[in-house]
Amino acid sequence: MDDAGARSKAGTAGGAARLEALAPGMPIPFGGDRVAYVSEALAARFRPGDRLVVVQETGDLLHVPADVQARSEAAVDRAHAAFQRMGQVSDEAIGAFFEAFAARLADDAVWSAIAAANARDVEAARARSRSTTRLQAGEAMRRDMIAGLRAWRDAAPARGRTLEKLQHEGWSVELATAPLGVVGFVFEGRPNVFADATGVLRSGNTVVFRIGSDALGTARAIVAEALDPALAEAGLPAGAAALVDSPEHAAGWAMFSDRRLALAVARGSGPAVAQLGAIARQAGTPVSLHGTGGAWMVADATADAARFRAAVYHSLDRKVCNTLNVCCIVGERAADLVPQFLEALEAAGRRRKGVKLHVLEGSETCLPADWRARRITVVRAEGEVEEPLVETLAETELGREWEWEETPELTLAVVESREAAAVLFNRYSPQFAVSLIAQDAAAHEAFYQAVNAPFVGDGFTRWVDGQFALNRPELGLSNWENGRLFARSGVLSGDGVFTVRARVRQADRDLDRNPDTAERI
């Protein structure tokens, strides 16, 4: 490593020095036994004061400019300082914050300012042919945010909840919940996640978040018009919910590299979320990741046709992570269930703007000739596009999540058996959510044991949602793509972010581990 590359003053004796520059082709060790090389573009961008994050799992070399690092550090500083003061904040004050936040969102004048900022974000995203499905902050999103905040207002206090108490002779020990610390949150351009993220305050934590650049203007408006005023009104410490005000992806890298985070939560696209998780883990921070989504449904030999048709239809009302993405039908029922499936698709298309179907290679013969021949107009992020109604798909592509805008899009696979469908699910899906449509109770039990998924149902797939299913706004939904989760469900909610403290109350002053040899003094 030469002077032009590192400008290190450590010399040949070893040691450490600050990295001030990068040179093209410079080797960067990672993973213990591998090497990545600095590109010309990265070397040209790097300046003194910048940081290089080396992802040890992949060798990705991530450039964090000094000004982005400073913004991230400042936001974590505020959240960390606020956490030190949260112990003096009453549960009543925390409840008052949620009500104040909700009330401001319910105020038409406040919402008008937020909606105007959101309209600018949506217009800018469309100009860049970006998806706006989850970006638009309409009245439905507003109602959901208000309802979520008021649910936290009314939730039982999560701090100091006794989990277990053991009574011994002369003393007792109690296990109770306690705040965890600063929660770092990176999420895609969905303004409603603000309400979800602040849920960690209910259990005495603080939060620092970075939102996708598409929604940054909306986020700034929510902070200025509703979030910060609500914190002040309720008497919570400034910075208890802090925004990293930067459109750069590097802001998320910097934040997840900060060892002061007690938990790192990421929501968004699969590869980006996986990268953020790797950064947090190498910093020693526990993670909750929700990247790739897309629900599966399996109709077995005992499926009720009407129930199956309804389950498909009701799983396609809008595109989110729990929307039906892949539907498997056992071959012996294809003759009667494929028409039911297509009828559900046509109804979903009337509800939205048409439908787009991908079919596993070899399964296309189960479709009517007119479906295979028809061309349609599909609403994409870049606008309306004419495409075939049906396209074939290789088996290796079954894990692809269809990120549709207004035209529902999914995959159909005709399979040999329910067991074969479970094998495909475990091999190709993100191991997230799956429903089995069957009348046989034994089939449901066997399927439940066979599939590796945190969410298993017997009807529509859209139930997988913290607020809808559990009456608690979620911080994130996790799949099992990278393994099962330790001691928790796939729903991470604000009141689930805690640690456990042990507290002893000693009545016997002469309590001793060796009473036979102890003196009473």
Side-chain angles (χ1 to χ4, degrees):
M1 191 178 293
D2 57 26
D3 288 342
R7 294 178 184 170
S8 169
K9 299 178 182 177
T12 59
R18 183 170 293 279
L19 182 66
E20 295 183 356
L22 296 173
M26 178 187 292
I28 306 293
F30 74 97
D33 60 357
R34 290 172 288 171
V35 177
Y37 295 92
V38 174
S39 68
E40 290 188 4
L42 174 58
R45 291 195 306 270
F46 198 89
R47 296 288 183 272
D50 292 355
R51 297 199 177 190
L52 182 70
V53 176
V54 182
V55 183
Q56 296 298 315
E57 290 184 12
T58 63
D60 293 339
L61 304 179
L62 307 178
H63 175 216
V64 180
D67 64 321
V68 175
Q69 178 69 34
R71 290 189 183 196
S72 174
E73 284 188 0
V76 178
D77 284 345
R78 295 195 300 274
H80 187 260
F83 179 69
Q84 308 308 311
R85 298 174 53 197
M86 284 295 288
Q88 287 73 55
V89 175
S90 68
D91 290 324
E92 290 74 18
I94 293 174
F97 156 73
F98 288 114
E99 174 54 32
F101 194 178
R104 293 192 71 82
L105 294 181
D107 186 302
D108 288 341
V110 170
W111 186 257
S112 178
I114 294 170
N118 181 252
R120 292 190 291 271
D121 279 345
V122 170
E123 183 179 358
R126 284 176 174 157
R128 300 193 304 275
S129 297
R130 300 274 292 173
S131 173
T132 61
T133 303
R134 307 182 194 187
L135 174 59
Q136 298 183 65
E139 283 300 317
M141 181 179 289
R142 180 189 186 187
R143 288 193 300 272
D144 287 347
M145 291 175 71
I146 293 169
L149 290 167
R150 286 183 168 149
W152 286 126
R153 176 200 64 188
D154 298 335
R159 296 183 295 181
R161 185 174 73 249
T162 299
L163 301 175
E164 186 177 2
K165 185 174 183 179
L166 299 174
Q167 187 68 48
H168 302 276
E169 186 177 349
W171 64 292
S172 65
V173 61
E174 182 180 281
L175 300 179
T177 61
L180 184 65
V182 179
V183 179
F185 205 147
V186 174
F187 52 94
E188 73 281 26
R190 294 177 63 181
N192 61 304
V193 180
F194 263 86
D196 301 341
T198 58
V200 301
L201 273 68
R202 172 45 83 189
S203 46
N205 303 291
T206 59
V207 62
V208 56
F209 34 65
R210 187 249 170 197
I211 193 170
S213 58
D214 288 347
L216 185 56
T218 307
R220 288 168 175 160
I222 291 174
V223 169
E225 299 289 337
L227 177 58
D228 281 353
L231 289 171
E233 180 180 330
L236 269 63
L243 174 69
V244 179
D245 194 346
S246 172
E248 305 292 334
H249 288 293
W253 306 334
M255 186 174 79
F256 273 29
S257 297
D258 197 311
R259 295 178 183 273
R260 292 174 294 176
L261 298 187
L263 175 67
V265 181
R267 292 167 60 165
S269 66
V273 166
Q275 185 182 72
L276 285 164
I279 293 168
R281 282 192 294 267
Q282 69 190 33
T285 304
V287 299
S288 176
L289 307 177
H290 182 190
T292 306
W296 284 46
M297 185 180 294
V298 178
D300 94 333
T302 68
D304 176 81
R307 183 180 180 87
F308 171 61
R309 182 178 66 246
V312 171
Y313 171 73
H314 293 297
S315 297
L316 293 170
D317 61 311
R318 63 183 290 236
K319 174 53 194 165
V320 286
C321 63
N322 55 31
T323 300
L324 178 59
N325 198 67
V326 176
C327 183
C328 298
I329 299 174
V330 295
E332 66 181 274
R333 293 291 306 277
D336 67 307
L337 290 185
V338 168
Q340 298 292 328
F341 172 76
L342 298 181
E343 184 179 325
L345 295 196
E346 289 176 334
R350 291 191 296 270
R351 191 180 192 181
R352 303 291 299 195
K353 294 184 178 179
V355 68
K356 170 79 178 188
L357 180 62
H358 302 266
V359 60
L360 180 66
E361 290 176 344
S363 299
E364 64 271 18
T365 56
C366 295
L367 297 176
D370 65 313
W371 271 72
R372 286 179 278 162
R374 198 183 315 168
R375 295 186 66 83
I376 56 165
T377 299
V378 178
V379 180
R380 300 287 184 195
E382 64 271 22
E384 295 186 347
V385 181
E386 184 179 321
E387 300 178 8
L389 169 61
V390 176
E391 295 186 56
T392 57
L393 188 81
E395 181 182 304
T396 54
E397 291 294 307
L398 281 174
R400 182 172 177 181
E401 181 183 7
W402 303 110
E403 292 284 0
W404 50 270
E405 295 291 314
E406 293 294 336
T407 304
E409 187 168 10
L410 71 163
T411 297
L412 170 66
V414 177
V415 297
E416 182 179 348
S417 63
R418 179 188 72 246
E419 292 82 1
V423 169
L424 291 175
F425 177 86
N426 291 341
R427 181 179 299 161
Y428 297 115
S429 84
Q431 298 179 33
F432 176 51
V434 60
S435 281
L436 175 67
I437 309 301
Q439 295 297 98
D440 182 8
H444 277 286
E445 183 59 28
F447 187 76
Y448 182 80
Q449 297 301 332
V451 292
N452 192 53
F455 304 104
V456 182
D458 63 356
F460 87 138
T461 63
R462 290 272 285 112
W463 68 273
V464 182
D465 177 271
Q467 188 159 339
F468 182 80
L470 304 177
N471 295 324
R472 295 198 299 272
E474 78 218 16
L475 293 177
L477 298 170
S478 296
N479 61 36
W480 282 358
E481 196 169 22
N482 296 304
R484 298 192 177 197
L485 306 172
F486 177 69
R488 72 172 181 87
S489 78
V491 179
L492 179 67
S493 189
D495 59 0
V497 180
F498 60 85
T499 188
V500 177
R501 301 179 78 180
R503 188 173 189 177
V504 162
R505 301 182 189 277
Q506 183 177 332
D508 180 358
R509 70 179 186 182
D510 288 316
L511 188 65
D512 192 278
R513 292 295 299 272
N514 295 288
D516 293 340
T517 61
E519 297 182 21
R520 295 187 69 86
I521 59 173

